[in-house]
Amino acid sequence: FEIAASIMVTPNLLNAGEMISVNIAGNNQSKYDVKLFDMSGKMISQQAGNSRMQIATARLRKGMYIVSVRNQFEANSFRVMVP
């Protein structure tokens, strides 16, 4: 039995070179896959962990991106923007 975790992705409006932080609170014994996609669906980065992760954004162009956070029980997507 898995209790849903609280997932927070910050910031959603990035400054140049700022890291995207992914914080997973709650019953996070399972591994989460965190992926960053551009709006065309191309995967930019991928990593796995179970509580805190950071995504480097130094090479991102201006635009909207999707951060996908999923494990075997749940999947969440968050939008972030590079102005």
Side-chain angles (χ1 to χ4, degrees), residues 2 10-12 20 25 31 35-36 40 45 55 58 83:
E2 181 81 7
T10 56
N12 59 4
I20 299 171
K31 238 339 155 220
K35 298 177 183 176
L36 179 66
S40 72
S45 71
I55 303 169

Side-chain angles (χ1 to χ4, degrees), residues 36-57:
L36 179 66
F37 296 94
D38 66 15
M39 292 310 285
S40 72
K42 178 183 174 190
M43 187 170 57
I44 308 293
S45 71
Q46 176 180 7
Q47 58 184 292
N50 64 357
S51 62
R52 274 185 192 206
M53 290 162 270
Q54 289 196 317
I55 303 169
T57 64

